[in-house]
Amino acid sequence: MKKGNKPAKVEILANTSFEETRIAIMEDGRLSELSWERRGSQNLVGNVYKAVVENVLPGISSAFVNIGYEKNAYLYISDVLGGDKEPIDRLLKKNEEIMVQVVKEAIGTKGMKVAMDITLPGRYLVLTPKQSFVGISKNIPEGEKRDKLNAIMSKLAPKYLTEMGCIVRTEAEDATEDELEKELKFLNRTWDSICKRYQESRSPSLVHKDMDLVMQVARDIFSEDTAIYLLDNKEDFDNVQDFVTKISPDLSEKVKLYTAKTPIFTAFNVEAKIEDIRKTKLNLPNGGTIIIQEAESLCAIDVNTGKFTGSKSQEETVTHTNIEAAQEVAHQLRLRNIGGIIVIDFIDMKKASNRQKVVEALADAVQRDRAKIRILPITRLGLVEMTRERKRESTASLLSEECPECRGSGRVLSAESMRIKIQREIKNLTLGRPGGNLRVVLHPILAERIKQKQEVIERNVHRNLKIQSDPQMTWEDYRLVLE
């Protein structure tokens, strides 16, 4: 995991129920990251398949492959082995069988993305069977530890990495030669098993399934920097304990079983924070606000000063608010798992030096984020464009669906618009003839609002009106009854 300037106290909480597994990562007591795995939906990232090429499209340098699901997966030319120089229709043919790995789940209307360059992650190493390069994580600085790892890998590579590559992960910083060799043997056995299943299986079919969520967290996140890995499910606890004892016995004491009666996410105030994830408007500590609007492939974030006026110049007040917003934006992107293109509309600043301060604050705030992030320079209008790696749908998308009343717009017709609409329909229904009584059935809150304008409506339609509320009615729905 990337680290910021100040090390944080990291706690991992795992909640498992019949329907889903949820993992919360707490940093200094604050919820920083959430991961979900639901029984009813497939988590496919990391899975390896024997696939069949369905269509090759040279015009967009892509292919669609069948991996056994209703919707075909998308394969771009840069993810095809040998795809740097040749056009894709020379590399792949329709009905050809290929091995692919899911690198991004289906999000919205977009299908899942796959790659032919397989990667098999372990705790200390990532085996790359289709590559020959052996490298070390850039997060391990130059010095004695990096030199030691280089020496170990130079010794192990000829023995275990014939025509294969490997990346040494940050977690291997203090790993011994014996630990690295054991993991290389394990990853080699895994790759041999995948190749055997690939040869024996009919296409399309699954040939390797990645670990479940609690085990992925134990492999990828749990480290000596973690204070505790607390799980509320005995089976998950036993599996993680067994895994950690084998690969990092010194960390086994940090794996704990939660047995209290109060649900784990309630006890650590995580449940309440999950409820806040659906909010589009968030308050900053000093009175400013940020508004987050997610679309399918783009997220727009607006920053406002709100009630914060500061005690100095307007420029300093705005800069302070923007820096505060940059820190909160970084936190929310990670917490909500927002990926793709992100545009942040900071408040205008006149000085270039202040604009640079805001970009630096944002860059510093995203250091602990494990996703790959690219930040472009801030414009004179205060806009920052950035990208954040996205492998799974955002938390908000997972938790919610399109509102049937507002049709996904986030807004419904105002009470005044509804009044005018109802009034117009009454006039069309009665052909403008006066006399008689009319009953209008509405949503309870809307009924109270319409009652305030009842005299105006009766005067306009020349009829007596009876306004009735019905809790079963939606906001924009109503009934007109002639009596």
Side-chain angles (χ1 to χ4, degrees):
M1 184 183 295
K2 298 176 190 176
K3 300 177 182 178
N5 295 330
K6 180 184 176 184
K9 179 186 176 184
V10 179
E11 299 165 301
I12 303 173
L13 312 175
N15 167 237
T16 301
S17 66
F18 292 110
E19 299 296 330
E20 66 182 3
T21 295
R22 301 180 296 175
I23 304 283
I25 297 176
M26 313 288 288
E27 293 181 352
D28 293 331
R30 187 186 190 194
L31 179 61
S32 296
E33 192 173 331
L34 276 168
S35 297
W36 303 68
E37 186 174 71
R38 287 184 169 168
R39 305 290 180 269
S41 59
Q42 299 279 352
N43 289 312
L44 307 177
V45 173
N47 288 359
V48 180
Y49 294 85
K50 184 173 186 176
V52 180
V53 178
E54 292 281 342
N55 294 300
V56 180
L57 306 173
I60 57 173
S61 299
S62 304
F64 288 94
V65 300
N66 180 4
I67 63 171
Y69 295 94
E70 184 178 348
K71 200 168 189 177
N72 288 335
Y74 173 74
L75 177 64
Y76 187 59
I77 190 168
S78 61
D79 295 311
V80 177
L81 294 175
D84 293 336
K85 299 174 183 177
E86 297 285 340
I88 195 165
D89 53 344
R90 291 188 183 177
L91 298 168
L92 296 174
K93 301 298 179 185
K94 184 177 172 63
N95 297 324
E96 182 181 352
E97 294 180 334
I98 57 174
M99 184 188 294
V100 297
Q101 185 173 39
V102 178
V103 295
K104 186 185 292 185
E105 284 187 352
I107 299 170
T109 58
K110 297 179 179 178
M112 68 189 77
K113 185 179 179 184
V114 295
M116 293 176 66
D117 187 10
I118 312 297
T119 60
L120 300 177
R123 180 165 183 79
Y124 303 120
L125 306 167
V126 178
L127 185 68
T128 53
K130 303 292 185 177
Q131 302 285 346
S132 58
F133 174 75
V134 178
I136 296 176
S137 168
K138 62 182 180 181
N139 292 326
I140 300 177
E142 296 289 342
E144 186 179 334
K145 291 183 178 180
R146 192 176 183 91
D147 292 341
K148 176 189 169 187
L149 289 170
N150 267 317
I152 292 173
M153 294 311 297
S154 295
K155 182 178 178 182
L156 296 177
K159 189 175 181 181
Y160 297 104
L161 295 175
T162 306
E163 297 183 353
M164 292 194 294
C166 180
I167 298 169
V168 181
R169 304 181 67 175
T170 308
E171 294 305 326
E173 193 170 12
D174 297 307
T176 64
E177 180 178 337
D178 184 54
E179 288 172 329
L180 295 177
E181 185 171 18
K182 281 182 180 177
E183 186 154 285
L184 261 181
K185 286 180 179 178
F186 170 75
L187 293 174
N188 265 288
R189 287 196 300 271
T190 303
W191 175 241
D192 289 342
S193 175
I194 290 172
C195 292
K196 185 178 180 182
R197 285 199 203 100
Y198 181 83
Q199 293 298 328
E200 296 174 349
S201 301
R202 305 177 80 180
S203 58
S205 61
L206 173 70
V207 295
H208 172 72
K209 184 172 178 57
D210 200 7
M211 291 178 168
D212 63 24
L213 184 59
V214 292
M215 296 298 288
Q216 285 181 37
V217 169
R219 179 190 69 196
D220 299 335
I221 301 176
F222 186 47
S223 70
E224 60 182 18
D225 296 327
T226 307
I228 190 172
Y229 189 173
L230 193 59
L231 304 101
D232 66 359
N233 180 275
K234 183 65 165 60
E235 184 180 349
D236 287 341
F237 165 77
D238 290 339
N239 290 337
V240 171
Q241 183 72 270
D242 181 60
F243 175 74
V244 172
T245 301
K246 288 178 180 176
I247 61 166
S248 298
D250 52 317
L251 296 179
S252 61
E253 291 184 359
K254 294 184 177 183
V255 182
K256 303 288 184 183
L257 179 64
Y258 181 82
T259 56
K261 291 184 178 179
T262 304
I264 186 170
F265 273 22
T266 302
F268 287 85
N269 198 35
V270 175
E271 213 68 72
K273 296 300 181 185
I274 291 175
E275 291 297 317
D276 291 342
I277 287 177
R278 292 170 56 204
K279 292 181 179 177
T280 57
K281 186 175 182 179
L282 300 171
N283 296 321
L284 300 174
N286 281 323
T289 61
I290 60 172
I291 298 172
I292 303 174
Q293 296 285 349
E294 283 189 65
E296 187 171 306
S297 58
L298 182 142
C299 177
I301 301 176
D302 188 30
V303 181
N304 300 299
T305 52
K307 299 176 182 177
F308 182 52
T309 56
S311 56
K312 298 182 181 179
S313 69
Q314 180 183 359
E315 180 77 4
E316 287 187 35
T317 298
V318 166
T319 303
H320 182 89
T321 301
N322 281 338
I323 289 174
E324 202 172 65
Q327 295 166 345
E328 184 61 27
V329 164
H331 174 73
Q332 291 297 326
L333 293 178
R334 184 180 171 199
L335 177 60
R336 298 176 183 225
N337 192 29
I338 296 173
I341 300 170
I342 299 149
V343 179
I344 310 167
D345 184 9
F346 288 105
I347 308 163
D348 291 352
M349 294 165 287
K350 295 179 182 178
K351 295 182 180 178
S353 59
N354 287 334
R355 293 196 290 271
Q356 185 59 32
K357 283 180 185 177
V358 172
V359 175
E360 289 173 357
L362 180 62
D364 186 59
V366 300
Q367 286 302 302
R368 287 198 180 102
D369 197 330
R370 293 182 296 124
K372 294 176 183 176
I373 290 174
R374 180 171 175 242
I375 302 173
L376 299 179
I378 192 169
T379 68
R380 289 187 61 84
L381 292 176
L383 294 176
V384 168
E385 297 171 20
M386 62 182 289
T387 59
R388 184 177 183 272
E389 180 186 30
R390 174 166 59 179
K391 292 185 178 180
R392 294 181 171 89
E393 65 178 334
S394 72
T395 305
S397 298
L398 179 74
L399 290 174
S400 60
E401 60 185 28
E402 184 177 287
C403 169
E405 289 197 40
C406 71
R407 301 172 183 85
S409 69
R411 303 180 71 85
V412 292
L413 289 175
S414 67
E416 183 68 359
S417 296
M418 287 297 295
R419 178 184 73 81
I420 294 170
K421 182 179 181 181
I422 291 168
Q423 192 174 274
R424 185 187 302 116
E425 187 165 335
I426 291 172
K427 208 158 190 180
N428 292 336
L429 184 66
T430 62
L431 301 176
R433 291 192 293 266
N437 297 322
L438 195 72
R439 179 158 51 96
V440 185
V441 187
L442 303 158
H443 182 281
I445 297 176
L446 185 57
E448 290 302 314
R449 301 275 290 276
I450 295 293
K451 281 179 182 178
Q452 297 172 14
K453 295 290 186 80
Q454 185 169 348
E455 290 184 11
V456 176
I457 300 172
E458 289 178 340
R459 189 167 58 246
N460 286 336
V461 301
H462 310 294
R463 285 178 181 258
N464 294 325
L465 208 62
K466 182 180 179 182
I467 299 173
Q468 182 181 336
S469 65
D470 182 353
Q472 302 301 317
M473 303 287 280
T474 60
W475 181 267
E476 292 190 10
D477 196 14
Y478 59 89
R479 287 199 307 271
L480 299 178
V481 182
L482 290 169
E483 296 181 333

